[in-house]
Amino acid sequence: MPRTSRRGVAQLLCAAAISTCALMAHASLAVADPYTPVQTQENAEFAVANGYITKQMDRTPDLSPVFDGITWDPPRFTAEGGSGMIHDANPALGGQFAARWAGDYWDVEYQFC
């Protein structure tokens, strides 16, 4: 049976530690707070959806919004923002929006209001 050198074990442990740190860093990015504005598509969609639900509840108190998703108009989402359509489970709700990055938050215009 071949013997394992101490150097080989140390290299293996070092590689495992680096891999673990990389996974932990990636995991912390994956569970970032959606309420903290950042210039990503995921965060822009969260801001659009969050504002949509609030605005729709104010506009139509008898109809509860059921946010179903967003489709982006070409050229789709960019780091500066974009426009598109909000889809609601109720086809009578939802509508066009435009979102732009305003330096430290998403400025969303709900064009159906």
Side-chain angles (χ1 to χ4, degrees):
M1 181 187 309
R3 290 179 39 161
T4 306
S5 71
R6 288 182 186 216
R7 185 175 183 173
V9 171
Q11 287 175 335
L12 181 63
L13 290 174
C14 183
I18 290 170
S19 296
T20 301
C21 289
L23 284 173
M24 288 170 46
H26 181 69
S28 67
L29 290 175
V31 294
D33 178 14
Y35 292 99
T36 303
V38 290
Q39 214 168 346
T40 64
Q41 180 174 346
E42 181 179 78
N43 193 257
E45 290 180 359
F46 178 84
V48 170
N50 197 34
Y52 163 72
I53 292 167
T54 301
K55 186 166 286 290
Q56 198 65 62
M57 286 172 51
D58 289 343
R59 288 186 67 229
T60 56
D62 296 339
L63 296 172
S64 295
V66 180
F67 178 78
D68 207 19
I70 290 174
T71 52
W72 293 93
D73 296 335
R76 304 202 32 93
F77 173 83
T78 68
E80 289 77 36
S83 62
M85 179 68 79
I86 297 170
H87 301 281
D88 194 289
N90 179 343
L93 302 178
Q96 288 285 94
F97 74 92
R100 72 174 184 83
W101 181 248
D104 57 354
Y105 68 96
W106 288 103
D107 183 24
V108 182
E109 176 188 354
Y110 299 94
Q111 299 169 338
F112 52 89
C113 296

